[in-house]
Amino acid sequence: MAHYRRGKRKHLNLSDCWSLSNSGEGAFSLTQPFTYTVTNRDLNRGLYPRDKKNRRSATQLYPLQRPWAHNARRSPEDATSSKAIVDLSTSKVDSVFDPEDFCSNDLFAASNVLALNSMSNREHSVPMLRNSNEGSDGAWDSCTRRLCSEGVPVVQQQSWVEDEEPEVDPLPDSYFGLLGCTRSQTLPSGHISQLPDEILRAVFVSLPAEDLYRLSTVCQQWKRVISDPMFVPYRKLYYRYRKGEESTVKEIDRILKENNIKKENELCLLNLIRFVASFQNVPSVNSEAILHCLKEHPLFKQSEVSVAQTLPNLVNAAGTTHVWAILAVIILLSGGVEDIQGLISCLLQTRSTLPITEVTEILYCMATLLFALREKDINISSRIHYNLFCALHLMENPASRKRPPQDSSRLEINNIELTPEQRQILKQDVSPGRVIQIMGFAGTGKTFTLIEYAWSRPHLTFLYIVSTKPVPKEINHIFPPNVKCTTVHAMAYQCIGYKYQRRKKLMAYELKPFAIYTLPEAHGSFFRANVICQSLCTFFSSVDETITISHVPGHRKNTLGGSRPTEYQENLELVEDAKRVWRKMMDLGETEENGYFMTHDGYLKAWQLSKPSLSQFDVILLDEAEDCSPAIMDIVLSQKCGKIIVADPHQQINGFKGTVDAVLKAQHSRLFNLTQSFRFGPKIAYIAATILGMCKHVKDKTLVGRSQDGDAADNTGQMAVLCKTDVEVFDEAVRVMTSEHPSKIYIIGGLDKFGVDTLLDIWRLMILEQERATKDLVIQDPFLQIFERKGGLRGLKDYAAESEDKELEERIAMVEKYSVRLPVLLEKIARYSVADSTSADIVFGAVRKVKGCEFDMVQITNDFVKVPGYRHDYHILLEFKRDAVPDIDWNLLYIAVTRTKRHLVMNRSLECLLSFAGEYFLKPELTSSLLVEGILSNCQASGCSNRIERGTVLTLRTVPHTQSGGEGGGGPLCCACTKQRIGPLTYLIASPELINSIGTAGRMVL
């Protein structure tokens, strides 16, 4: 009888893994150990997970069980053949035990050799085993066990009989599995570098290109795998091209030139389709199966007839050429991200035989070319590339459901998903002195990320700061108890501001020129009072310790309404006057002059100059940092604790210069971005991204909508009417109140902050000027009372112009517009106004007051940026320059658009602006279906009377939806109007005769 010594568990090396993975017994025993029959032929010798405290033998712990269900169907011949493939007794490399622990070197004279059948670079390598000799378990006789390296004593020999396995000593958990367990005190013998390249490729293939380039710096092996030219080449090419790498740009230019894809060629998109149709795929792909899956896509019929009419030579081409051509046309005709997502779903069906790597590669091929066309200023809609980019981004960056809350107070946010961007931020620890910058687009969960960060670190003390507006009451209930929520002004008031309140020397409103006008420093001049006021306000927001010439406006208005530069000596005098006013404001002594009262920004500046310390907090969370003044940023950044600063530079409306730059230049900082919005879907996200890309030249990051787009047919729910100015808010409210069916309304901020009392006082001033005999009109505002004896309404208008008080000018304009009707209209607005926004039918508000708000439906009014016409209206666009519009105006439009959750009702200027990106909201329809519907007649474009050609298989029509009425109101467009709007995309629906004529003309030119 053979005697065996106790064995030990062995960590599997690379060769062992290959041996096991190429046998049915080995693969199944590793994946399903508890349903596998243990015998003396067990390939793994009882190497199964078990409790370390349980020292029973393998056969005692796992008695004979029912056979593997899959093996039950196998014939005896199959079982024999599996033995021939892998026979442990003849294996040179034992998959479970260390050969040196059992027998001498001559025991393994016969061996199996692992052979890899290397296929083409586009195919997977298939490992195969070659068996050389047959053997038996008798080869394991006369083996002796040696002392292990850890000093385990030698134990008594034990006998091993038929149907009995030797008892083995379990090693720590670090030796079980491929890489071991990090919790074990014993260091695992394996390392991640021992993973084969094939496994790394399988893992890396699902990662975004940005992550791949970050991982390529980890080690040489990962760099070799990721840098392989055959590993996801188009995904890497797309990323490098968007980053502007010189070599990649040259490569794309070469591809475009060789395939005649250029702006001068009207058939450039047809050449693009030909290039994509030549995409090389793995040989195992079945083109008929893919085509059958694509037939389920809603745009398949339109794409199929388009290819058949415009590129007939590709229809009967060999391989997948026809399939890729149809796929390219589906992408070019897509109207939204849902079309691309539907395309991906069709391609990833099991019966399509198309691997996911091939799907993503051909989509990235298209994305790269489409992005290049936009960079080359070729006239196609930017929505096509956006649809493709957004679908790929959402596929590669899926959100995950966050963990259930441990506290009942968190139930209101427990269903929010975490994006990979948010998860990356939550993993960062903020050490003292370190700064984490979070730049996030609208609706991307910036505040929610801060909330989750605080909940995940209960051992730290946080200070949450909102820059300007009061902290919402619900915020205190959502943040954990270890967070104090406040504003910078509130902290400054607790330290300094309360002193002026006690002495009744605190101004209730912002510093205005009329408060300084009566001071000796103003010398009785509104011009001088205005300059001193502006100088003080600039100083309050700065980080400077004293007032200097840099705080004085460089230009000042003259009496004719123009401006002139101020002289140096005049500036010095103004600096001294401003210093005297500031010293008297700081003085706690009593004064009767309102101009010497302390303001809220004034005591905040005094607190900043005192160098406050917030050492009681471990981390400061600063939200909406884009509207923080440099003084506030100095207070936060000067603290020694960790800081997390959240901002969206495109929502900056306060106009402080250098705020965002100060955040980005902070020392010991790291920048993170949030690009996936939970508030709205891809349609709204595309409009917002187009505003940023076209008007603010944002190229490095793209806003992506994660939410579901609203149904165009469902326009129910509360409507929010957002305006740029308060004048437009009042106009819209009057329009609703004077309609046949007035609705309940809510004005954001309330009627008090809307300035109803001020409007009535200005109206009284106007009436008193017109009707001197009226004695029962009393002006309540002390400031406006001054103008009863200083020129009346005209004097007030002169003051507003000289002091550049835009708010006062707007209110004067409202009074003059409605004149004697104003009191009646104000009374009607007050009667239909409700105190709670949720009970209102329509919400009105100036966009400056709606940051942080969201509404189901939003209507954009006409007082935002004026775009005079569509892109094809060249004659009326000569004087319009997008770069001449101030950034703050684009920011206000961006804020208004991104308040939307489901539906956006655009104004005409916004529609015209989108046309500059090539977007006209056109949808391809089969001409035959339009004939059946009876709507195919004349072109619906304004000023066009052409007939729609019945010979074309496709016709484009404008899309009527809630977002836009569309140019033409949903009717079809003729070929000439289509070409005027979408350029080379027209030839996807053109007749073969037209295409042939264009091609012939092009060859003649060449």
Side-chain angles (χ1 to χ4, degrees), residues 946-964:
N946 293 340
R947 299 282 297 179
I948 304 298
E949 298 181 15
R950 298 173 181 265
T952 59
V953 292
L954 290 180
T955 300
L956 292 183
R957 58 184 296 188
T958 54
V959 180
H961 53 17
T962 306
Q963 279 85 352
S964 166

Side-chain angles (χ1 to χ4, degrees), residues 31 55 64 110 230 235 282 416 419 440 457 498 502 514 527 634 716 771 817 833 850-852 904 913 988:
T31 57
R55 302 299 294 267
L64 293 179
M230 302 307 298
R235 183 183 306 182
V282 294
I416 298 181
T419 66
R457 291 163 174 80
Y498 76 95
R502 286 181 178 178
F514 75 84
F527 287 112
D634 179 69
T716 59
E771 303 177 15
K817 180 177 181 178
S833 296
V850 299
K851 287 185 62 176
L904 175 65
L913 180 64
L988 290 181

Side-chain angles (χ1 to χ4, degrees), residues 775-787:
K775 301 296 184 180
D776 57 345
L777 295 179
V778 179
I779 298 176
Q780 305 294 330
D781 191 303
F783 164 65
L784 295 177
Q785 289 176 355
I786 299 175
F787 292 93

